[in-house]
Amino acid sequence: MAYVSMKNVKKLYTQGEDDVHALDGINVEIEKGEFIAILGPSGSGKSTLLNVLGGLDVPSSGEIYVDGRKINELNENQLAEYRRKTIGFVFQSFNLLPALTIEENIIMPILMEQKKVSMEFVKELMKVLEIDNLGKRMPSQISGGQQQRVAIARALANEPQMILADEPTGNLDTEISTKVVSLLVDTCKKYQKTLIMITHNEEIAAYADRIIRIKDGRVEKENCLY
Amino acid sequence: MKLYEKLLKITFFKAKDTKWIICVAAFVIAMVSMLLTSANSIKLSYLQAVNQTPQYDFVLENLNDEQKQKYENKDFWGSSIEDITCSTNVFELDIPDSLFYFSVTGLTGNFEEVYSIDLQEGHCPENEKEIVVDSKFIENSGGSYKIGDELVLSVFSVQEKVYHNISYEIVGIFGAKASAGAEVYAFCTLEGAQRALKKGNMDTSYRVMITAAGKNQEMLEKALSYIEAKDREQIGIRFNETRLEMNGEEETDGGGAVKVFQVLGILIGVVSGALLFNMLQVASGNKIQQIGMLRCLGLDKKQLYQCYLLNLVLYLLGAMGGGFLLSVILEKTIGNMLFQRFLKGFCLSQYVELSFQPSLIAFVQAGSLVAVIFSVVYIVLLRKSLSYTPVEAVGSIAEGQFNIKVKSKKMDKVNVVTFVGQRNLLRNKARTFYTGFTYFVTALLILTLSMVLFSVDLYDIDALKKSNLFDYEFYDDSLQCSLSQEMVEEISKLESVATVECSRRQVYEFYQKKENIGTYNEIIDTRVYGDELLQRICKENGLDYQGHESEPYYLLLTKNNTQEQQIVLYNQNGNELKIQINGNVEQDNYCDYGGVTVTLLMNQLGAEALFQDDYCYNVLYIKAESKVQCVEQVKAYLEENQINMVYSDLQEMTQDAKTQLGSIVCVAIYLMVCICAMTITNIICNINVNVQLRKREYGILIALGMTRKKVIQLIISEIAIISEYMIILALPLALVISLFFISGAGQEINVLKIIGAAGIGSGALYGLTYLLCYIKGNRVFDRNVLRLLDKE
């Protein structure tokens, strides 16, 4: 069985009198350790797909299995546990906690899991992502690229099985984007994590093992650059 | 214009916080208006009472007949005097075959003006046979009297020891004043009063009330110079008597109440300011990004100021409108109820009837005060919001000004709630300070009021001090019965009777003379106590009875703080009897009777010396072995011996007195209700500041895998830490303020009760905070996490 399996997943939003089919029958299977790039025009349902996979939202219908576990039937506390242990989310807008230092932001998932913090691992992570000298700074004192790398480090800190990145380079310039993505991909490969990334950038998508194109809430094509 | 229309749509009409801001501001206006209305009602009631009474320029009191005739003569004063009114002192005329009596005054002049009589039927007396009576008397008599009826009253002749009847014709009925209590009044002409006094061989003293033409102070002084020097020492002279009297009461009573409200109004104003600040801080936090975006789009600061100041005007208009409606509702319901229930007890003056008088002025005052505070806070926060660069504002970097000097502690095995909570509090010092300050003010008020309310005795102090030595007091109001020593001994032998003390009240055989002021026979009251009880009374008044048991011992009970060494009494033959006073006391808690000026407490030997062979009793103080049987047995004995006595159950009377609340406590309860309402609103605003502004942060934590329960714990822990520290900080100051109130109420300071009260107040405040955090947290985090992250 695939590591991630989504079967006929639908998500319906009601806005006033209109129904919006954000996902309209998604069928996807992802193996462990794969790097998947999700492309598609704006409003195609890419972020919704990532949100339901990451347990941030609940699908209207369909089934989602991750590592044999049915995600869409988990209750709130189970979903929280799923997000803590299984998922590492990298947001487009970084979403760092402003009152914590960089180091504290990174270890937050570990503290939530009430595990002992292995500072050696955290420091290694920070070194790999080239943010090892920023530990005592606050998020407001570092650049966007650095913040995104911190977000990546945070996503990896608790050693989750899967990283979900929602346009991690959307707020970054080209040069930094390339660097961040390559770091993210290399780190995930190094620690053998499944990486699912939403991007608009075809060049970045080229790094992926597989590309899934989404249009109008459905999978249009797979593993094709066109 | 179109630009501002659009801007107002975005910034005001479609903004989510508009309703909340207007509602809170309206609520604050309504609360402050209710408070001001209460204070103004007290002041207005006093002013109305002052303005209703005639404005005499000065009054001569305690005149004898000869002096009255001299000073009521206009020719004596010359042309400077406009009007002279004369009245007798108040004297009693009994209603035959009943325990009731009238307090009667005879006077010249216009009855309705002089004593503010509200004549409901008939007319004022015009000759010596006419009388106007209180409507309370008509009601109590079951309508058996009406205008035109004969009213027969009786006057007691001290010399003859008999009652003489005197009849009047009822020509008018006036409305009884609520402040008069149970007392019943009647008015007649001066001649009518003198007719009654003559029958009873009584003298009275007179008052002459003078209005001077032009009300010129110099002329008054000159007029007074006509009064002979020797008279001036003995008669009472007061300038501007009515206003002085009213002002005097206003200083000590109504004025005191108004000042208490004013002081507490300042505190309420501070709480209101804090509440408004908190609320506007939330609003401004939401608006920072909005302002940043508008500036990015090209709007300049001037345009933004104009736009947001228009918002301010609209807020204030909405708040005033809403506040007016809410204040009308609050005042008609809770305000009026609270005022009638609690503040009426604050008025001690018989001249004043307190009434709740809502007025537009109070609302305008409240609205203006709140508008000023609101505007100042709003403009300060607006300026701060506009001080950031557009990029800072849009990127919410403006919110990220944290203190980075806090060192990170060891980060293994740390509770994540404590970890995040501490850092949030310590690194965002501005927000922590504002939240803490508003909480401090709230805690100060709540703790002070709870200490006052829960640690004072909510009872009438005098009632509490009554001992339980007696269960029943048997007495004879007609003063005709007499019990001999043998009878008292027989009663004490009754099976259900434990102890009997006895006394003789309203003694007419002896009287005091007051020469040159108006000679009249002052009834003296005597109370004869056993040694044990007399020792108690002495101790309560700072005296020592020990060693005096074997000699006549006399105490003089007086309310006017005099220290008499000796009093002189006269018997019916005019013979003088000098009594050496062993001590002066201010209170006798073992007798409920009071009403005569001179009261002598004495031991058995003192009674024997005073009365000699003519020694009998008309009051019994009985302690029962068996309460129910005691009443029956004593009554049976008295009936058998044809002695007509009634009794009062002292414990029941004490219980009734216990339900009275002191004036300070009344005000404290009234304010507690107002402040509790504002406290709840303030705590909710505090929670909103910490939750609403940071819901994105909490969304991040949930997205990272924190359960909603833990997020709620985080909110609670942050605010709970602040509330704990602020309660601890507020406690000493609250203690000092409450001690001031408690001692002002004349109560003893009970440390244990104060500690207990502080505990109750702190616990209630902390518990309320916890509960509101829990409710708010559950409401906010019931939403989809994406909405918290603003991803939807």
Side-chain angles (χ1 to χ4, degrees), chain B residues 643-783:
Chain B
I643 296 171
N644 186 18
M645 284 181 138
V646 294
Y647 73 93
S648 41
D649 186 327
L650 288 183
Q651 282 194 344
E652 278 178 14
M653 286 165 63
T654 308
Q655 285 300 323
D656 289 340
K658 277 185 180 179
T659 60
Q660 296 170 24
L661 296 173
S663 56
I664 294 286
V665 173
C666 285
V667 174
I669 292 175
Y670 176 86
L671 288 165
M672 189 65 146
V673 174
C674 299
I675 285 168
C676 277
M678 298 188 86
T679 297
I680 291 172
T681 314
N682 208 18
I683 293 174
I684 291 173
C685 273
N686 267 329
I687 295 169
N688 271 344
V689 166
N690 286 283
V691 170
Q692 210 65 23
L693 281 179
R694 294 163 57 200
K695 64 180 169 69
R696 193 154 172 268
E697 279 176 51
Y698 296 125
I700 295 170
L701 290 169
I702 294 173
L704 290 176
M706 191 180 257
T707 59
R708 289 178 207 276
K709 192 179 161 186
K710 277 228 178 317
V711 173
I712 293 170
Q713 277 180 11
L714 175 63
I715 296 166
I716 290 172
S717 77
E718 284 182 19
I719 297 190
I721 291 171
I722 294 176
S723 67
E724 278 167 27
Y725 280 113
M726 289 305 115
I727 288 172
I728 291 168
L729 275 177
L731 263 173
L733 191 55
L735 183 65
V736 168
I737 298 172
S738 62
L739 287 176
F740 169 74
F741 274 111
I742 292 169
S743 59
Q747 298 221 359
E748 289 177 12
I749 292 166
N750 186 322
V751 174
L752 280 176
K753 277 192 180 176
I754 287 177
I755 292 171
I760 292 172
S762 306
L765 195 55
Y766 189 80
L768 181 66
T769 307
Y770 193 98
L771 179 68
L772 289 170
C773 282
Y774 187 79
I775 292 170
K776 179 67 180 176
N778 271 301
R779 281 192 59 200
V780 170
F781 302 118
D782 197 29
R783 301 175 194 169

Side-chain angles (χ1 to χ4, degrees), chain A residues 76 83-84 95 104 138, chain B residues 408 423 427 696 705 708:
Chain A
E76 195 185 304
R83 287 197 297 273
R84 274 198 313 274
N95 280 345
E104 290 165 352
M138 306 298 284
Chain B
S408 301
R423 276 149 183 80
R427 287 174 181 167
R696 193 154 172 268
R708 289 178 207 276

Side-chain angles (χ1 to χ4, degrees), chain A residues 51 56-57 76-77 80 83-84 93 95 97-101 103-104 107-108 111-112 117 138 140 166, chain B residues 400 402 404 408 411 419-420 423-424 427 696-697 700-708 784-786 791:
Chain A
N51 290 339
L56 294 178
D57 204 352
E76 195 185 304
N77 284 342
R83 287 197 297 273
R84 274 198 313 274
S93 52
N95 280 345
L97 292 164
L100 303 182
T101 62
E103 207 168 67
E104 290 165 352
I107 65 166
M108 270 304 295
L111 292 178
M112 283 188 197
V117 175
M138 306 298 284
S140 56
D166 188 348
Chain B
F402 291 101
I404 58 166
S408 301
M411 289 179 286
F419 180 85
V420 176
R423 276 149 183 80
N424 278 330
R427 287 174 181 167
R696 193 154 172 268
E697 279 176 51
I700 295 170
L701 290 169
I702 294 173
L704 290 176
M706 191 180 257
T707 59
R708 289 178 207 276
N784 187 300
V785 66
L786 293 175
K791 285 188 68 132

